[in-house]
Amino acid sequence: MIFSGLNTTYVVKPKKHLGQHFLRDGNIARKIVEQLPLSAVNILEIGPGTGVLTRHLLNREKTNLKVIEIDREAVCHLQETFPGLSNHIIHDDFLSSDLSGIFNGNFSVIGNFPYNISSQILFRILQMQSRIDDVVGMFQKEVADRIVSPPGSRVYGILSVLVRVHYKPEKLFEVAPDVFYPVPKVKSAVIRLTKNQTKYNVRDEKLLHTLVKTAFNQRRKTLKNALKKLPFPDDITNSELFSRRAEELSIDDYITLAAALENTSGKK
Ligand code: SAH
C-alpha cells in the first residue's frame, strides 16, 4: 500500500496537468480489476500511475499485460516496483501512440482514466474499436452517466450514441472522492463496455461521427434545422424523423440516417 493517509509521503508527486489522482484503496482497485471478463488475456492498462490496478492485473491468471503511461516519474516507479513488467511498459501518450501492433489479436482496455482527457480517451478507443473487445474504466461520474444514458434521457449525447454503435455500456459502481490522493472535486464511477454481438452496418465511421456531432451541436433544434448543411435526399428531410431532436433518436435511427448520407455522399 503506497498511501495510508493524506500525510504520508508519496512515491510519485501528483501532477495536476496529467489528471493524476491516485487510488489509495486496494479493495476498490481489486474490485475494478475483477470487472474484466475472465476470458480477457491481452490487456492494456491506460495510465497505471503508481500501479495500484497493475498489481492486481499481474495477479490474474493467463494475462498478457501491457501498460501505457505518459509520466516519466511514474514509469520509473513502475519499473522498480514490477521488474518483470519492464518490457511491457510503454512510455507514451495514449492519445497519439500508434498501438496497432501492440498485441497479436484483440485486447481489453482498463484504467482509472485521467479526468481531464477521459472523453478523448474514449474517442481514441472508439477509433480502435475493431481491436478492442471490452473496456473497464473509471470516469468522472457525470461523464460515466452520459456514456451509459439511453435515448430520450436528458444527458444522452454524442458519446452515448457513438459508444452504443459498438458496445453495450453498463455503469457498475460509484467511487467516492476521498479514496484518491489528492482528493478530486468530482465523484467517480466505473463503467464497462462489452462489444455488441450483433454489429451495426457502418460503412463510413467518420461520416457517422460528423452526423451525430452535428445533430447534438444544436440539440434543442429539430433535425430539419440542425442537419441543414448535410446533403440528405429530400425524402429523408421531409420524413417524420427530421421533425425530431437529436436526443429522441435511437441508434438504429442514426444508422439509417448515416446510410442515407453515405448514398448521397457517394454520388458526388
Ligand atoms: N491508475 C492509477 C493512476 C490514475 S491517475 C491509479 O488508479 O491510481 C491517471 C493516470 O493517467 C496518471 O498516472 C497519468 O500520468 C496518466 N496519464 C495522463 N495522461 C495520459 C496520457 N495521455 N497517456 C497515458 N497516460 C496518461
Side-chain angles (χ1 to χ4, degrees):
M1 181 76 182
I2 297 158
F3 302 106
S4 55
L6 294 186
N7 297 324
T8 49
T9 51
Y10 40 76
V11 281
V12 175
K13 188 176 184 307
K15 299 165 196 74
K16 203 174 171 190
H17 72 284
L18 294 179
Q20 291 181 343
H21 295 277
F22 299 122
L23 183 62
R24 52 186 185 84
D25 184 323
N27 286 329
I28 297 180
R30 185 166 33 82
K31 193 170 160 194
I32 295 172
V33 169
E34 283 171 359
Q35 308 305 319
L36 278 171
L38 288 174
S39 57
V41 176
N42 294 331
I43 300 175
L44 174 66
E45 185 189 0
I46 302 172
T50 55
V52 61
L53 296 182
T54 319
R55 187 175 300 280
H56 293 282
L57 287 163
L58 287 169
N59 284 337
R60 284 179 103 244
E61 277 176 33
K62 287 196 223 133
T63 298
N64 178 16
L65 177 68
K66 305 214 173 168
V67 305
I68 181 162
E69 170 59 61
I70 199 168
D71 181 23
R72 177 181 299 279
E73 200 187 350
V75 167
C76 291
H77 173 72
L78 292 165
Q79 278 165 343
E80 278 171 26
T81 317
F82 310 108
L85 190 66
S86 270
N87 293 331
H88 295 226
I89 301 174
I90 305 162
H91 179 200
D92 206 351
D93 179 348
F94 172 71
L95 296 180
S96 56
S97 187
D98 175 11
L99 297 172
S100 49
I102 184 171
F103 291 108
N104 289 326
N106 280 14
F107 57 99
S108 301
V109 165
I110 190 166
N112 288 346
F113 301 138
Y115 299 130
N116 52 344
I117 55 164
S118 60
S119 301
Q120 284 158 274
I121 288 181
L122 196 52
F123 279 118
R124 183 93 175 106
I125 287 173
L126 292 175
Q127 264 176 9
M128 295 193 286
Q129 57 77 24
S130 64
R131 301 286 314 281
I132 300 175
D133 289 335
D134 24 50
V135 180
V136 171
M138 172 116 70
F139 291 81
Q140 177 177 339
K141 181 184 170 297
E142 282 71 22
V143 178
D145 286 339
R146 271 196 272 138
I147 295 168
V148 303
S149 72
S153 122
R154 196 176 48 81
V155 291
Y156 181 61
I158 298 169
L159 276 177
S160 338
V161 176
L162 296 179
V163 163
R164 273 171 199 268
V165 170
H166 298 292
Y167 297 95
K168 174 171 75 83
E170 295 166 272
K171 185 170 167 187
L172 301 173
F173 51 90
E174 295 186 0
V175 181
D178 61 359
V179 297
F180 296 93
Y181 179 78
V183 177
K185 289 200 181 75
V186 295
K187 283 189 193 161
S188 306
V190 176
I191 67 171
R192 178 168 52 210
L193 311 179
T194 310
K195 204 56 168 289
N196 290 339
Q197 293 294 320
T198 324
K199 293 197 186 341
Y200 288 102
N201 185 10
V202 184
R203 268 183 291 156
D204 189 338
E205 194 88 24
K206 267 197 182 157
L207 201 59
L208 176 71
H209 282 216
T210 306
L211 165 68
V212 176
K213 280 184 186 167
T214 314
F216 278 99
N217 271 344
Q218 295 178 290
R219 64 184 295 150
R220 308 305 314 155
K221 293 195 176 172
T222 63
L223 295 184
K224 202 168 182 77
N225 289 313
L227 299 181
K228 239 178 205 153
K229 295 209 172 99
L230 298 180
F232 281 102
D234 289 345
D235 58 328
I236 296 272
T237 50
N238 294 324
S239 70
E240 183 273 334
L241 215 54
F242 258 56
S243 64
R244 295 197 230 157
R245 293 191 302 233
E247 63 204 41
E248 298 169 325
L249 263 60
S250 67
I251 308 303
D252 282 310
D253 294 332
Y254 279 107
I255 300 291
T256 304
L257 289 183
L261 213 47
E262 277 165 9
N263 289 338
T264 44
S265 306
K267 279 183 203 145
K268 286 192 173 167

